[in-house]
Amino acid sequence: MKNFLFLLLFLTFTSNIVSGQIDSLLYKKISKMYQDDQKWRIEFSRLYSKGKSDYSEKQISRNWKVIDSLNLIQAKEIVAKHGFPGFSLVGKSGSSKFWAIIQHCDEDVKFQQKVLKFMRLEVLKKNADGIDYAYLTDRVLVNTNQKQLYGTQTRLNIQTKEYVPLPIRDELTVDKRRISVGLNPLSEYLKSLIDVP
């Protein structure tokens, strides 16, 4: 009987691991970080769309930079403990939210590079999103003054009021790379962009 109970407990424990039960506390922490990350950006976009450029816009920009710095500290703790939190740890939503936070850690590019290495391992295991990986790859390349691979990083052309990609390595094959990770062709992506900060 004892052996049977031990076996039952063991199977229950291992099935929770195999079934991919997420770390709900970590998910909640990441969700709160993401909510803070988005709050001031959304407010800035709202003001920007109204054509306002006043003190409140500058204050909002400062607020989001403070949040980015605080999120950077917490993100470093998470990565030190878990690597890149993939689907099996925090679900698809949590993993994508964490990626968005890392996208905004531009003040520490070396950290972004470190996370990118961890994320690559998870993408190869199909435990993280390839599209998110492409965006972070390009972000790191641009932040280190290199040409991007997927064309995800853009700038607004003031004359044409259209977005154009920052320099791309081997631009003739960019759509092949984009499609390989699940992105739509570059021309479609650029058409989809609207004038937001």
Side-chain angles (χ1 to χ4, degrees), residues 104-146:
H104 298 145
C105 289
D106 295 316
E107 67 184 84
D108 193 339
V109 180
K110 288 187 178 185
F111 176 63
Q112 285 179 319
Q113 289 173 314
K114 178 180 180 178
V115 173
L116 188 61
K117 288 177 185 175
F118 282 119
M119 189 178 187
R120 182 177 187 276
L121 297 174
E122 298 306 318
V123 169
L124 290 173
K125 294 188 287 187
K126 305 218 181 302
N127 195 37
D129 191 287
I131 292 175
D132 291 349
Y133 177 77
Y135 273 86
L136 186 56
T137 298
D138 281 353
R139 188 78 163 224
V140 166
L141 289 169
V142 168
N143 282 341
T144 55
N145 300 311
Q146 299 178 67

Side-chain angles (χ1 to χ4, degrees), residues 30 63 115 119 134 191:
I30 290 170
N63 287 344
V115 173
M119 189 178 187
K191 285 178 189 172

